[in-house]
Amino acid sequence: MTSLPLASYSQQLVSLLTGFEENSDSWKKCVNKTKTKLAQHRFTSTDEYNIDTRYKNIQEKFSIKNRERLGQLLEKYKAELLDESRPIGSCISNQRILKYDMLALILACSPSLAYNYQEPSSIPQPEKKELTWADIIAEDPLEGDHWAQNEDLSSDELIEEYDSDELRDKAKESKKLKLKLGRRRIDPPALTAEEEDAYYASLIKIDDRADPDTLEDMESLQYWRDDYYSPMEISGVSSMQDPSQLSESLSHYNYGEYCTESLEYLDEADMVREVLFLLKGYKGVVFKETSEREDEQISSDKFYVDPSYTVRHLSHRLLTTFLGEFCETGNLLADLRQCIYSILEKPSNIYGQTCQAFSTAVINGLNEFENILSDLEAKCSYIAYEKDLSISLLQIKQTLSEPIQRFKTIHSILFNGPFKDQFPVPRELATYLISTLYDVSIHSQLAGKTHSLHSFSYLFRQTLVPYGQLMDDWIFYGTLRGDVAREFFVTRIMSVKETSLSFWSEGFRLHLADQEHTSFSCPLFEENMLARVFFTGKAECFISRILSRNECYEMEEHTFFETALNTILPFKHEFFFNTTSIVEEAPVPTNVDPFSKAVFPLAFEPYFKKTRVKHQDVGQEISSDPADEKGSLLDRDFAYCLETYIGSSYEQSAGSLNVILHKNGKMDQHLKCIGSIYLMLEDNMMDIFCEALFLQMDHKQAWHDKRSLNKIFSDAVNASGRQGAKSTLLYMKKPDKEDETSVYLDDQSYYLGYIVFNYMIPWPINNFIRQASLAEYNKITGLLLRIKRAKYILEQKTLFQGRSRVEALTSTMRFYALRMRMMWFVNVFWGYIMTTILHSETRKLQNNISLTADADEITLLHDQYVGRIVDRCLLNDKSKPIKKAMVHILSLVERLFILSETYVKAPLGEEDPNKETSAKAFANKIALVEKDFNRTNEFITTSLGILGKKGGFSWFVELAASLSAQ
């Protein structure tokens, strides 16, 4: 059933893709080829059990091959890929199928498409048998004319023709063995190993034809031999006419005959070879390892110079100076190699991925340098590629000075950094390497050293790769799982749980970078850049926690750090710009006098000729001059790269988090609940609560206990319909001892300031509107409750209702005049706090929060808002005397209410037997209250005026003017 549609589909596919006519030869050929591919080609499968089994088989193969570490890593990375917290592509698609498709595609990368990974091969493998001389002779016996012994020469004459004593001894042993064994075929196991080797060697005829003089000349040039000796040769010509004899002549005058005789002379090509061996890290004849030194001099260097070798046309003192400089460079490169390899040998959690990436890049540079040294060695040999190239130690020094200087800079970076600590901190290492390489690259660019800029930008580029991957994980996924060594500048504080109210502010920590060791600070570690990267990652982490599994949040296409970096620093595969031109070539002066050019030819002739290399594929000519590839300024390009990388991600994450907080977190509703509960805004819920509470106070009912307060508040919530306030819990806190001593014993309103409203802000809103700010809100609520109580007393409880108990008209009029003044005071303060401060500031806060796109700004705006309304409501420490004076006047209102209940209001039909005494007492008490009120009111008015004028607070000036207008 399936073959017919498959054949039909394959034919239609060939027709659509090729455009051939059906049933033509070309069309049939393509169809047959397609059928063959479909029948024999290996396609992937999403059978999860099959794929898991195949990966387990690969792990078993690793363990069999003694590569258990690779098997563990394969299992670890496979588990990370299948992790549900790391989606691939769209969240709507089936993630498990996609990931198993990827695993199957990886398995399909095998070079053999027909290899079956499930079933072991049934073909028996032949056992490997060790090959011996006996097997070789048995397969091809030593028979024939070419193996026949020359009868004309006796064995003694044959022995005399051998040049070396070793061959002569072997020939004698072979002769004895022949006499012993004869021509008969022997069984090899009957002989010992030495006899067997000697026997078979005797059967081989050695061609000993050679030129003894040529061999002796070649051996005489091999200066590494133990029997090498090249004494001084005095020529018959004058030393001034023979430049090669200048060294010997000077040595006679400087050192004496015995000194020159103890020296061994090398050709300059041999000395150049020794220098190149040293720079590669190998010991030689001239440069020996310190461990082999016969004298007991203690040194930390790996190599030292043997002073018993010299060059004929250079003085021994000058040569020793040159060799000492080369030896110092060789020791420096040896230390660099040792340090780099020690870093790479350690696990990645010791030094960090960034440090290991830097070490790998340095190793690549050293390998390229060794290739350059090998080319120099070939060019400086006796059989050179180009006959016109000169061989000179000075030229080698000049040629390699620039590359060596780069490695000296790398050496100083390593040995001046925090690498020698017993317990290195990977974060400090990563920051140090990136900032230092950036600084060195900028210096190279400013100095116009294009080759050095290429090398250090290569190191900078390679070092940034793993660090950029850590930034990608943080910015786009909000995770730090890849940071195994804690080298990133963001760390997770594991003691703070994700459900904690301080998870946003304390769940992660930002480590600022120290760049005091650099001249140019790296833009990556500037405070503004670090803050934006820190916020973007936190926002992504927070969004993933807020959204449920059913909801999907997709960002725009990611601009990964390496992609953004390629725009300014394209990926380079080589440490050196061009291996054929590794020197920063200075312009050669054109006007050179003939005498200088003839006497100093090497000074005006570059060691390597400028050539133009032909492209092998296209055939175009490409200049080897790096000046043709100069770009723009690195600092500006890198800053633009970082802005491109983080700019859009920061804005998108901030906007998405803001929308989710308002949509999913319902931040606006919680702000309105807070305003309604603590500031008596938005609705009449707190008016209902205050009326019910004041009634219980008037009827002398219990209201201080927790149960009564919560019942009254719950009834107010139900009556107002503010359902979001149901999570609020009320209780009384213990009054301050200092305030208890100054309060009147009959003042019930005093305890209103100690009612605590605990509104439970849910997660995640409590990370931005912090629970600690509710304590400041409670200060305002306590003050508002006392002012509300005073308004209630003055407006409803002190009105004249019937006749007075006492018939003192003057005192009664004085009572009502004081009541009006107190009412003016309370209403002014109530209007100032509710309208001028709370209403205007709350509307401004709501407007600012709706406009901001940064979640951190929400916390900042709210904290500033709370601090501002607390200060303007005279509840901070600096305005504490004014607040005490205002509370004292509110207490006087309670006393006025008691006087009203005692002397002013009299029930019908009730007579006071002591009217005269009561009238006198009433007049005295009214006078005391009025005097206390006038003094306190004057103090408040004067203090507010002074505070407003000196501090430039116009609202205090206006409040003082309103209070003085009564």
Side-chain angles (χ1 to χ4, degrees):
M1 294 296 294
T2 58
S3 60
L4 292 178
L6 182 61
S8 176
Y9 291 154
S10 61
Q11 293 174 4
Q12 294 179 15
L13 180 64
V14 170
S15 300
L16 290 174
L17 293 179
T18 60
F20 295 147
E21 295 182 0
E22 294 188 4
N23 299 323
S24 62
D25 295 338
S26 301
W27 182 83
K28 292 179 179 180
K29 185 177 181 181
C30 290
V31 169
N32 293 332
K33 188 174 182 180
T34 303
K35 291 181 179 179
T36 305
K37 284 287 185 179
L38 292 175
Q40 299 180 1
H41 193 72
R42 179 184 174 189
F43 294 90
T44 59
S45 175
T46 54
D47 185 0
E48 297 181 7
Y49 176 78
N50 185 15
I51 292 174
D52 291 337
T53 304
R54 291 168 66 181
Y55 272 94
K56 288 181 181 179
N57 294 339
I58 295 175
Q59 295 175 16
E60 293 179 359
K61 289 182 180 179
F62 279 131
S63 61
I64 294 173
K65 297 291 186 180
N66 198 17
R67 303 297 295 274
E68 295 182 358
R69 175 62 178 168
L70 294 178
Q72 295 173 358
L73 291 175
L74 179 63
E75 182 179 3
K76 173 185 176 183
Y77 295 148
K78 177 174 172 289
E80 290 183 359
L81 177 63
L82 296 176
D83 190 359
E84 295 181 357
S85 62
R86 302 188 69 175
I88 298 175
S90 175
C91 297
I92 303 175
S93 60
N94 192 317
Q95 293 293 318
R96 190 171 185 85
I97 294 178
L98 286 177
K99 292 179 180 180
Y100 270 95
D101 282 344
M102 291 179 63
L103 294 174
L105 287 173
I106 294 174
L107 291 174
C109 292
S110 171
S112 177
L113 299 178
Y115 187 79
N116 189 355
Y117 288 89
Q118 298 181 0
E119 300 181 1
S121 177
S122 59
I123 302 176
Q125 298 293 332
E127 296 182 359
K128 293 185 177 180
K129 189 177 182 181
E130 186 177 357
L131 188 64
T132 61
W133 273 105
D135 298 332
I136 297 174
I137 298 302
E139 183 178 354
D140 189 9
L142 304 179
E143 298 176 355
D145 296 338
H146 56 283
W147 293 109
Q149 179 68 34
N150 192 351
E151 300 296 340
D152 297 336
L153 295 177
S154 63
S155 298
D156 295 334
E157 293 175 351
L158 183 62
I159 293 174
E160 291 177 358
E161 293 182 1
Y162 294 153
D163 295 328
S164 62
D165 295 337
E166 183 178 358
L167 292 176
R168 186 180 298 111
D169 294 339
K170 287 186 178 180
K172 288 181 179 180
E173 293 178 1
S174 301
K175 180 180 178 182
K176 293 179 180 179
L177 191 62
K178 282 184 180 181
L179 295 175
K180 178 180 179 181
L181 300 175
R183 291 286 184 177
R184 64 184 178 86
R185 186 171 182 177
I186 62 173
D187 190 9
L191 301 176
T192 62
E194 296 180 356
E195 291 177 345
E196 184 178 358
D197 293 340
Y199 170 70
Y200 291 122
S202 66
L203 301 179
I204 301 175
K205 181 175 177 59
I206 301 176
D207 186 4
D208 57 346
R209 293 172 295 177
D211 187 359
D213 297 335
T214 304
L215 292 176
E216 290 179 1
D217 292 340
M218 293 182 63
E219 292 178 358
S220 64
L221 297 176
Q222 299 173 356
Y223 61 92
W224 57 85
R225 297 170 62 92
D226 295 334
D227 56 350
Y228 174 80
Y229 179 66
S230 178
M232 177 181 61
E233 297 178 359
I234 306 262
S235 61
V237 298
S238 173
S239 60
M240 294 301 296
Q241 297 177 2
D242 188 1
S244 64
Q245 300 301 320
L246 184 60
S247 174
E248 287 81 356
S249 301
L250 291 176
S251 297
H252 280 298
Y253 295 112
N254 293 334
Y255 308 108
E257 185 69 23
Y258 68 97
C259 292
T260 57
E261 292 180 355
S262 62
L263 298 177
E264 296 186 9
Y265 292 86
L266 302 180
D267 292 330
E268 191 164 6
D270 296 333
M271 191 61 71
V272 168
R273 184 186 295 109
E274 288 291 316
V275 170
L276 297 179
F277 282 173
L278 169 71
L279 297 180
K280 290 182 180 180
Y282 306 122
K283 67 177 182 178
V285 175
V286 179
F287 301 97
K288 300 180 178 179
E289 291 186 351
T290 308
S291 58
E292 301 176 356
R293 199 165 188 171
E294 296 180 357
D295 52 357
E296 298 181 355
Q297 295 186 8
I298 301 175
S299 175
S300 59
D301 297 334
K302 183 178 181 180
F303 301 102
Y304 74 97
V305 182
D306 188 352
S308 60
Y309 294 90
T310 186
V311 178
R312 298 180 185 278
H313 67 281
L314 293 176
S315 65
H316 189 63
R317 182 177 300 175
L318 177 61
L319 180 64
T320 304
T321 304
F322 280 167
L323 297 183
E325 295 177 359
F326 282 120
C327 186
E328 181 181 356
T329 303
N331 289 323
L332 182 141
L333 293 177
D335 291 342
L336 181 61
R337 290 187 182 94
Q338 182 180 2
C339 180
I340 291 298
Y341 281 115
S342 65
I343 293 175
L344 292 176
E345 289 175 356
K346 298 292 179 63
S348 59
N349 59 346
I350 301 297
Y351 289 96
Q353 304 174 50
T354 305
C355 185
Q356 288 193 338
F358 167 76
S359 303
T360 303
V362 174
I363 288 296
N364 294 336
L366 289 171
N367 293 336
E368 291 181 27
F369 184 62
E370 290 183 8
N371 294 336
I372 294 172
L373 296 179
S374 300
D375 294 339
L376 289 177
E377 182 183 357
K379 288 180 169 61
C380 297
S381 62
Y382 292 105
I383 305 175
Y385 293 138
E386 300 182 20
K387 299 299 182 182
D388 56 346
L389 293 178
S390 57
I391 301 174
S392 170
L393 281 173
L394 294 175
Q395 190 64 48
I396 287 292
K397 180 181 178 182
Q398 180 183 0
T399 303
L400 299 179
S401 60
E402 286 293 335
I404 289 175
Q405 184 60 40
R406 297 174 215 170
F407 287 112
K408 287 183 178 179
T409 304
I410 297 173
H411 183 273
S412 64
I413 291 175
L414 276 174
F415 287 85
N416 293 334
F419 290 88
K420 292 298 183 181
D421 299 340
Q422 184 177 4
F423 300 101
V425 182
R427 184 181 303 106
E428 295 180 0
L429 296 180
T431 305
Y432 170 78
L433 285 176
I434 294 175
S435 58
T436 305
L437 290 175
Y438 175 82
D439 183 64
V440 173
S441 301
I442 294 298
H443 277 289
S444 300
Q445 187 177 47
L446 293 178
K449 298 180 178 179
T450 312
H451 289 276
S452 298
L453 175 61
H454 177 90
S455 299
F456 290 119
S457 62
Y458 167 80
L459 293 179
F460 181 63
R461 172 73 169 75
Q462 298 298 104
T463 307
L464 275 176
V465 170
Y467 206 80
Q469 293 174 354
L470 295 178
M471 282 200 298
D472 291 339
D473 289 343
W474 171 247
I475 290 175
F476 301 127
Y477 306 106
T479 179
L480 296 172
R481 291 184 179 180
D483 189 14
V484 294
R486 300 172 71 89
E487 58 188 305
F488 194 50
F489 53 77
V490 179
T491 55
R492 172 75 169 91
I493 307 302
M494 303 306 298
S495 58
V496 181
K497 297 182 179 180
E498 295 181 357
T499 57
S500 172
L501 55 87
S502 59
F503 177 68
W504 175 265
S505 58
E506 301 176 4
F508 298 93
R509 181 182 177 187
L510 174 63
H511 301 268
L512 298 179
D514 181 16
Q515 301 190 74
E516 295 180 356
H517 59 281
T518 60
S519 303
F520 300 93
S521 60
C522 183
L524 177 60
F525 299 117
E526 291 182 355
E527 188 172 353
N528 182 29
M529 178 60 64
L530 294 180
R532 289 197 291 173
V533 173
F534 182 59
F535 174 84
T536 306
K538 279 202 308 180
E540 289 301 319
C541 180
F542 219 72
I543 289 172
S544 63
R545 301 306 190 273
I546 294 175
L547 296 180
S548 61
R549 293 186 178 181
N550 296 328
E551 298 181 7
C552 181
Y553 166 69
E554 293 187 9
M555 291 186 63
E556 297 177 357
E557 293 185 1
H558 303 324
T559 302
F560 292 104
F561 182 74
E562 190 169 1
T563 304
L565 192 62
N566 284 333
T567 59
I568 63 162
L569 289 176
F571 183 77
K572 302 179 178 67
H573 298 276
E574 296 179 351
F575 178 80
F576 294 99
F577 183 85
N578 192 346
T579 56
T580 61
S581 178
I582 59 175
V583 188
E584 304 281 356
E585 297 181 358
V588 180
T590 55
N591 299 326
V592 182
D593 57 290
F595 177 78
S596 299
K597 193 171 183 179
V599 176
F600 307 101
L602 298 179
F604 304 99
E605 178 180 312
Y607 191 75
F608 297 108
K609 295 181 178 180
K610 292 183 178 180
T611 58
R612 301 182 69 84
V613 185
K614 284 191 174 183
H615 199 280
Q616 296 179 357
D617 298 332
V618 184
Q620 299 176 351
E621 289 188 350
I622 302 175
S623 174
S624 61
D625 187 3
D628 296 339
E629 298 186 13
K630 289 182 180 178
S632 56
L633 297 177
L634 178 62
D635 52 349
R636 294 186 179 181
D637 288 345
F638 190 57
Y640 176 76
C641 165
L642 292 175
E643 187 63 31
T644 304
Y645 172 66
I646 191 59
S648 60
S649 299
Y650 170 75
E651 294 177 358
Q652 182 183 357
S653 298
S656 301
L657 179 61
N658 192 26
V659 171
I660 291 174
L661 286 176
H662 286 81
K663 180 181 177 181
N664 297 61
K666 301 179 181 180
M667 177 173 286
D668 297 335
Q669 296 183 13
H670 293 294
L671 287 174
K672 289 181 179 180
C673 280
I674 292 174
S676 176
I677 297 171
Y678 294 97
L679 307 180
M680 300 185 183
L681 301 172
E682 306 296 341
D683 53 23
N684 62 344
M685 181 184 68
M686 290 302 292
D687 294 335
I688 299 173
F689 170 77
C690 291
E691 290 179 5
L693 181 64
F694 296 159
L695 285 175
Q696 283 194 325
M697 294 172 65
D698 296 339
H699 293 98
K700 307 298 182 182
Q701 297 178 0
W703 61 273
H704 301 84
D705 60 295
K706 184 177 179 180
R707 180 179 179 181
S708 300
L709 287 173
N710 284 281
K711 184 179 183 306
I712 296 173
F713 185 79
S714 178
D715 294 340
V717 170
N718 294 329
S720 63
R722 176 68 65 178
Q723 300 300 322
K726 285 187 174 181
S727 61
T728 307
L729 179 66
L730 278 67
Y731 63 92
M732 294 287 297
K733 70 176 182 179
K734 188 176 181 180
D736 299 332
K737 293 183 179 181
E738 181 182 354
D739 294 339
E740 281 185 331
T741 57
S742 61
V743 74
Y744 298 105
L745 296 177
D746 53 356
D747 184 9
Q748 296 188 57
S749 65
Y750 163 75
Y751 297 99
L752 293 175
Y754 291 94
I755 298 178
V756 177
F757 293 81
N758 188 13
Y759 176 68
M760 300 303 296
I761 306 175
W763 191 92
I765 303 301
N766 55 8
N767 283 266
F768 304 95
I769 302 176
R770 293 179 293 184
Q771 201 78 18
S773 62
L774 298 183
E776 302 296 322
Y777 277 114
N778 274 299
K779 293 180 181 179
I780 301 174
T781 307
L783 179 61
L784 291 177
L785 287 174
R786 298 208 61 178
I787 297 176
K788 189 81 171 177
R789 171 66 179 176
K791 279 176 63 63
Y792 170 77
I793 290 174
L794 294 173
E795 293 176 357
Q796 299 184 26
K797 307 301 292 184
T798 56
L799 293 176
F800 180 72
Q801 299 176 357
R803 61 190 182 89
S804 174
R805 286 178 181 268
V806 294
E807 295 181 355
L809 183 59
T810 305
S811 300
T812 304
M813 293 177 62
R814 196 172 185 179
F815 170 82
Y816 281 106
L818 180 60
R819 171 182 171 271
M820 295 301 295
R821 293 180 62 191
M822 285 185 174
M823 188 180 296
W824 174 266
F825 178 88
V826 170
N827 287 332
V828 167
F829 258 103
W830 178 262
Y832 166 75
I833 292 176
M834 293 299 296
T835 305
T836 307
I837 304 302
L838 298 183
H839 180 77
S840 61
E841 292 294 334
T842 302
R843 292 296 176 264
K844 188 186 298 183
L845 171 68
Q846 294 174 353
N847 185 42
N848 292 335
I849 289 180
S850 64
L851 295 177
T852 186
D854 193 339
D856 284 332
E857 291 184 5
I858 296 176
T859 305
L860 180 62
L861 290 172
H862 182 262
D863 291 344
Q864 291 177 350
Y865 160 77
V866 172
R868 193 161 51 247
I869 61 177
V870 168
D871 293 342
R872 295 186 180 184
C873 290
L874 304 171
L875 296 175
N876 56 8
D877 294 335
K878 294 181 180 181
S879 56
K880 194 172 183 179
I882 301 177
K883 182 232 176 183
K884 281 189 174 182
M886 181 176 60
V887 171
H888 181 68
I889 290 182
L890 298 178
S891 299
L892 291 178
V893 174
E894 287 289 332
R895 293 186 63 189
L896 187 68
F897 172 62
I898 295 174
L899 291 177
S900 173
E901 293 291 327
T902 305
Y903 298 103
V904 178
K905 296 181 180 181
L908 295 176
E910 185 176 345
E911 296 280 341
D912 188 359
N914 301 319
K915 289 186 177 181
E916 296 180 0
T917 306
S918 299
K920 188 176 181 180
F922 177 59
N924 292 334
K925 292 181 180 180
I926 285 294
L928 291 175
V929 172
E930 184 178 10
K931 182 180 179 181
D932 198 356
F933 172 77
N934 291 335
R935 184 177 64 252
T936 307
N937 184 32
E938 184 179 359
F939 168 76
I940 293 174
T941 304
T942 306
S943 300
L944 286 174
I946 296 173
L947 180 62
K949 291 179 180 179
K950 286 188 176 181
F953 306 130
S954 59
W955 50 89
F956 287 153
V957 176
E958 294 175 359
L959 178 60
S962 299
L963 292 175
S964 63
Q966 59 182 333

